Amino acid sequence: MFDASPDALLAIAEDGSIRIANAAASRLFGVAEDKLVGSDHRALLSAGFRNEVAQIFRHLQGPEPVQPREVFGVHSDGTEFAAEMAGSLLGSPDGPLLLVSIRSTSHRKAADADLREAMSLLTATLESTADGILVISSDGSVAGFNDQFLQMWGIPPELLEGDSGEPVMRLIVSQVKDPETFTRRLSEVEDSPDSASQDVLEFKDGRTFEQYSRPRRLGERIVGRVWSFRDVTPRRKAQEQAQQAMQDLAAQAEQLRALAFQDSLTGLANRAVFNDGLATSLREPRLKTVDVLLIDLDDFKEVNDILGHQAGDDMLVEVARRLRGCVPTADVVARLGGDEFVVLLTACPDADAIAACIVRCLHVPVTISGTVFRPSLSLGIASAGSEAISPSELLRQADIAMYAAKAAGKNRFLRFHPEMMAALVHRTNMEAGLRLAVPRGEIYVAFQPIVSPRMGQVVQFEALARWDRGGERVPPSVFIPLAERSGLISEIGEEVMALGLVQLAPWLNEDPSRSLAVNVSGMQLQYAHFADGVLRLAEAAGVGAYHLVLEVTESVFFDADPSLIRQLSSLREAGVRVALDDFGTGYSSLGRLQELPVDAVKIDRTFVSMVRTGEERLPILSSMINMAHSLGLTVTAEGVETAQQADYLTALECDSLQGYLFSLPELGSRLELAVRQAEQAIDALDGRTGQA
């Protein structure tokens, strides 16, 4: 409105400097607005009139009204022109300002045209707003309104043309859910004519309005009130739906918390329970020993590689069943993670006999997915007598003994003794080799396809790090944790991302909807220039940032450093997407999902493995997918091994699927084979759906 005024408007400080100038002032004096601001206003007036503003300033501070004054202005080309000047005082944090209006008296017709144009603009603006506007004069009469107001309240226009406002008020009051509160609130506003108000109106028909009002002023005098009404019904309903979704998720999260101390796959205790039991046993006064039996399955990875992760999970469940039967009197029987188990014994007369029983019982053949396996394990025993020892040290000793049992030929148990520290030398050697892996070109990438059931094609590849050490492939489960512990994960992660982008660039650039997913650890995100490095790698490979998806685990966001959030936010602004990996395993973050800077979630394979026949009712899975979708996130399910799992997840509208059902991880030179295998699997699923 300031710039729309046809009059030149200048806000002048007491020292004579111009603080604000409008477009009309720029036109009148032929000086650009940015040049006017900060300049001395006296340069705009003819000699003999340069003290007029100071006089207006003084007179306005007195009791008498100030009449417009005739002055002569100076155009930038040196010509003078007659003008009329008026002013009013404005308050500001830096002191009073004089708002001066200057109108050329030689161009009154042009000024009138400008005024009509400004009023036309104001009217058009008033009618284009989505809010309903009503202007009431101090005497209670209607001074103005827009069509939106009439439509929102269903008021016939002729009703506002009458002498009385009572029919309109009756119509308005009849629509609100709580008329008494509504009328009382109107009375309160009328009793405070100089105050603003904001209220929420609930309607009988289910609509919700936000109601605002402010006093309408003419100078310092209040001449009425402006009311505006905004229909927020869609927003309110969306909030209610989101709140209900959060309540549903909270119920699911409560179920997960009940399992917080239980391994979800095997039903054994988890690491937290074991750690607590061990700490308690070592803290209490002891007359007898405390024994820790650490168990690791030998060559368990082969089961996953040969038959898939579902078979591996079946193997772990069977091992847990047998282990529980071997040690019914144990204090704790727990799965620490992966294929690692632990038994805590206190006051056991013969821990060695228990260990021998475990090795013997678990070595009995078992049939998994039609294939007969004979489980083998390496077991390490560490014992504490009356001497003081920390829980971590006792577990470390059992770990050293377990690795010694593996080195001694596997499928056996060994008791810890100090000479076993040589095992640490091996791990040190492994770390030394890992430090040279990138310079030697030993790190390479395998790609596993991710498919979209809806699109019926491969839409993404996940880049998986591999290490070939002198012709021997070191499992990622071995070198990735080692890389994180040794601080090498950033170097290896950057190498994997660079290789993945370069090798996949031709495939990615064929279709903007395709993407490459790369795992990123929390340690990488701690580096201040991580985001810049990612964008440089993408640019160097000729790949758009929107082709890249960074996978981070939920643990990254536990007590997340603000710089980490800034890194992810910066990448997302550049077009990179962020996926939450292993979704569902970090229970405490489920309720925070809407706060995290992510675009997608990847459901952990342990939840996918719950689907066996496809006839199960799994509200946890459906809740995860529904909540993610309600927050605008896409969902990928990992570890899809069977057609039943794929069908079940597709029915839940899971956006994409990943697993051995579609393809094993393949080298970059075999991408076409991976795509072909995945598409054949999709076609087979479509055939099953058609038959069903």
Side-chain angles (χ1 to χ4, degrees):
M1 292 299 296
F2 191 76
D3 272 335
S5 173
D7 291 342
L9 297 179
L10 301 174
I12 302 173
E14 288 185 295
D15 62 1
S17 62
I18 299 173
R19 296 296 177 86
I20 305 173
N22 69 348
S26 176
R27 292 191 299 269
L28 182 63
F29 294 101
V31 181
E33 291 182 50
D34 57 345
K35 299 294 184 182
L36 285 173
V37 175
S39 66
D40 193 325
H41 76 280
R42 298 177 185 87
L44 304 177
L45 299 176
S46 298
F49 294 93
R50 292 171 182 169
N51 199 37
E52 293 294 322
V53 169
Q55 293 183 28
I56 294 175
F57 225 127
R58 287 195 300 272
H59 291 167
L60 284 174
Q61 294 173 343
E64 297 297 324
V66 179
Q67 300 298 323
R69 310 169 79 90
E70 297 293 332
V71 298
F72 277 86
V74 179
H75 195 270
S76 60
D77 61 5
T79 60
E80 296 185 355
F81 58 89
E84 185 180 81
M85 177 189 294
S88 62
L89 288 177
L90 296 175
S92 79
D94 298 325
L97 298 175
L98 179 63
L99 180 62
V100 174
S101 170
I102 303 174
R103 179 182 300 176
S104 173
T105 56
S106 59
H107 298 85
R108 288 190 180 276
K109 292 184 179 180
D112 291 343
D114 287 344
L115 180 60
R116 286 194 298 273
E117 181 180 352
M119 292 304 296
S120 174
L121 177 62
L122 179 61
T123 301
T125 301
L126 191 65
E127 290 299 337
S128 66
T129 180
D131 293 349
I133 305 297
L134 175 66
V135 183
I136 301 294
S137 298
S138 297
D139 60 4
S141 63
V142 175
F145 55 87
N146 64 356
D147 289 340
Q148 184 67 13
F149 169 74
L150 301 179
Q151 294 174 13
M152 292 174 68
W153 288 94
I155 299 175
E158 59 272 12
L159 206 60
L160 288 169
E161 296 174 358
D163 297 333
S164 173
E166 290 187 7
V168 175
M169 182 57 65
R170 282 198 301 271
L171 180 58
I172 289 176
V173 171
S174 68
Q175 299 180 58
V176 297
K177 184 182 292 185
D178 188 351
E180 183 178 345
T181 301
F182 175 69
T183 53
R184 183 175 66 251
R185 182 62 179 143
L186 290 181
S187 298
E188 293 173 355
V189 173
E190 289 177 1
D191 292 339
S192 302
D194 60 342
S195 65
S197 69
Q198 177 178 344
D199 300 286
V200 175
L201 301 181
E202 300 288 348
F203 281 67
K204 294 177 181 178
D205 60 7
R207 291 181 298 159
T208 303
F209 283 6
E210 287 181 352
Q211 172 184 278
Y212 305 88
S213 79
R214 298 182 64 85
R216 184 166 68 98
R217 300 177 184 274
L218 186 60
E220 296 298 322
R221 186 165 56 92
I222 296 175
V223 296
R225 181 166 288 271
V226 178
W227 295 85
S228 65
F229 303 90
R230 181 172 300 169
D231 190 343
V232 295
T233 307
R235 187 178 74 192
R236 176 64 65 88
K237 289 183 177 179
Q239 290 173 343
E240 292 173 352
Q241 291 171 355
Q243 184 177 9
Q244 183 60 49
M246 291 298 297
Q247 291 174 352
D248 294 342
L249 184 64
Q252 297 296 330
E254 198 61 40
Q255 296 178 19
L256 292 175
R257 290 191 189 96
L259 300 175
F261 298 108
Q262 183 182 54
D263 178 60
S264 60
L265 177 64
T266 64
L268 297 179
N270 63 10
R271 182 185 291 270
V273 174
F274 168 75
N275 289 341
D276 184 64
L278 178 59
T280 300
S281 299
L282 294 177
R283 188 167 53 245
E284 295 174 348
R286 300 191 306 278
L287 299 177
K288 297 183 179 180
T289 60
V290 174
D291 301 292
V292 172
L293 284 63
L294 187 63
I295 303 156
D296 188 86
L297 299 183
D298 298 326
D299 304 317
F300 175 72
K301 186 177 181 301
E302 293 182 1
V303 179
N304 285 332
D305 288 345
I306 295 172
L307 298 179
H309 288 283
Q310 181 61 55
D313 289 348
D314 292 342
M315 171 74 85
L316 294 175
V317 171
E318 177 60 19
V319 167
R321 186 190 67 79
R322 294 183 182 186
L323 185 59
R324 192 184 291 110
C326 290
V327 286
T329 60
D331 293 75
V332 179
V333 181
R335 179 186 176 213
L336 295 183
D339 59 342
E340 197 171 55
F341 299 83
V342 68
V343 176
L344 175 64
L345 301 171
T346 58
C348 178
D350 193 350
D352 286 25
I354 296 292
C357 175
I358 292 173
V359 174
R360 186 173 59 254
C361 291
L362 266 62
H363 199 49
V364 175
V366 58
T367 301
I368 302 292
S369 299
T371 302
V372 177
F373 290 93
R374 184 182 289 272
S376 170
L377 62 90
S378 297
L379 189 154
I381 305 176
S383 301
S386 58
E387 73 279 5
I389 186 172
S390 68
S392 60
E393 179 60 24
L394 188 60
L395 184 60
R396 176 172 173 268
Q397 292 180 2
D399 185 58
I400 292 173
M402 182 269 292
Y403 275 106
K406 279 191 184 296
K410 304 178 182 179
N411 197 44
R412 65 190 63 212
F413 75 91
L414 289 177
R415 180 174 285 279
F416 172 80
H417 55 81
E419 289 78 6
M420 289 178 177
M421 292 298 293
L424 291 177
V425 175
H426 172 72
R427 270 181 272 179
T428 302
N429 177 263
M430 181 75 71
E431 181 178 332
L434 190 59
R435 290 186 183 280
L436 298 174
V438 172
R440 289 176 175 172
E442 296 176 351
I443 298 297
Y444 64 99
V445 181
F447 299 92
Q448 186 171 36
I450 300 173
V451 306
S452 167
R454 180 179 59 81
M455 299 175 65
Q457 63 185 23
V458 176
V459 294
Q460 187 179 104
F461 275 98
E462 181 177 359
L464 303 170
R466 297 290 185 263
W467 181 20
D468 186 346
R469 189 185 188 195
E472 177 185 358
R473 179 177 167 185
V474 183
S477 59
V478 173
F479 77 82
I480 293 298
L482 179 60
E484 291 183 331
R485 288 196 301 268
S486 60
L488 296 170
I489 191 65
S490 290
E491 181 183 12
I492 293 174
E494 183 176 346
E495 179 73 1
V496 170
M497 188 178 298
L499 292 173
L501 285 168
V502 169
Q503 295 180 37
L504 216 62
W507 182 80
L508 291 172
N509 288 325
E510 289 177 2
D511 189 335
S513 67
R514 294 174 176 175
S515 56
L516 170 67
V518 182
N519 290 283
V520 176
S521 77
M523 293 183 63
Q524 290 176 264
L525 291 167
Q526 298 298 329
Y527 288 90
H529 303 294
F530 172 75
D532 293 336
V534 169
L535 297 178
R536 281 197 301 270
L537 289 177
E539 183 179 4
V543 173
Y546 55 87
H547 282 302
L548 193 58
V549 178
L550 302 185
E551 294 188 5
V552 298
T553 61
E554 293 181 88
S555 60
V556 166
F557 296 105
F558 295 164
D559 300 321
D561 188 276
S563 63
L564 182 149
I565 302 298
R566 285 196 296 271
Q567 294 269 25
L568 292 178
S569 299
S570 173
L571 287 167
R572 293 178 74 208
E573 289 174 2
V576 177
R577 285 167 288 166
V578 177
L580 192 63
D581 201 8
D582 301 333
F583 178 58
T585 58
Y587 305 129
S588 63
S589 72
L590 288 174
R592 299 176 53 221
L593 184 58
Q594 62 181 345
E595 305 171 7
L596 304 182
V598 298
D599 306 280
V601 295
K602 297 190 75 173
I603 297 176
D604 187 68
R605 66 180 70 254
T606 57
F607 293 94
V608 175
S609 66
M610 295 177 183
V611 181
R612 299 180 184 275
T613 66
E615 301 298 327
E616 296 88 350
R617 288 179 56 83
L618 301 172
I620 288 180
L621 267 179
S622 59
S623 294
M624 286 179 176
I625 294 173
N626 289 338
M627 176 169 183
H629 284 167
S630 71
L631 296 174
L633 308 178
T634 59
V635 183
T636 299
E638 297 181 289
V640 179
E641 310 288 351
T642 67
Q644 290 82 0
Q645 292 172 344
D647 291 340
Y648 191 93
L649 291 162
T650 300
L652 292 179
E653 298 185 359
C654 187
D655 301 289
S656 52
L657 309 175
Q658 177 181 3
Y660 288 164
L661 176 65
F662 304 100
S663 174
L664 296 174
E666 297 286 0
L667 298 179
S669 59
R670 294 167 59 87
L671 284 182
E672 291 185 4
L673 173 62
V675 171
R676 187 163 59 251
Q677 290 175 340
E679 291 178 347
Q680 288 173 353
I682 297 172
D683 291 342
L685 290 175
D686 290 340
R688 284 166 48 85
T689 304
Q691 293 173 3

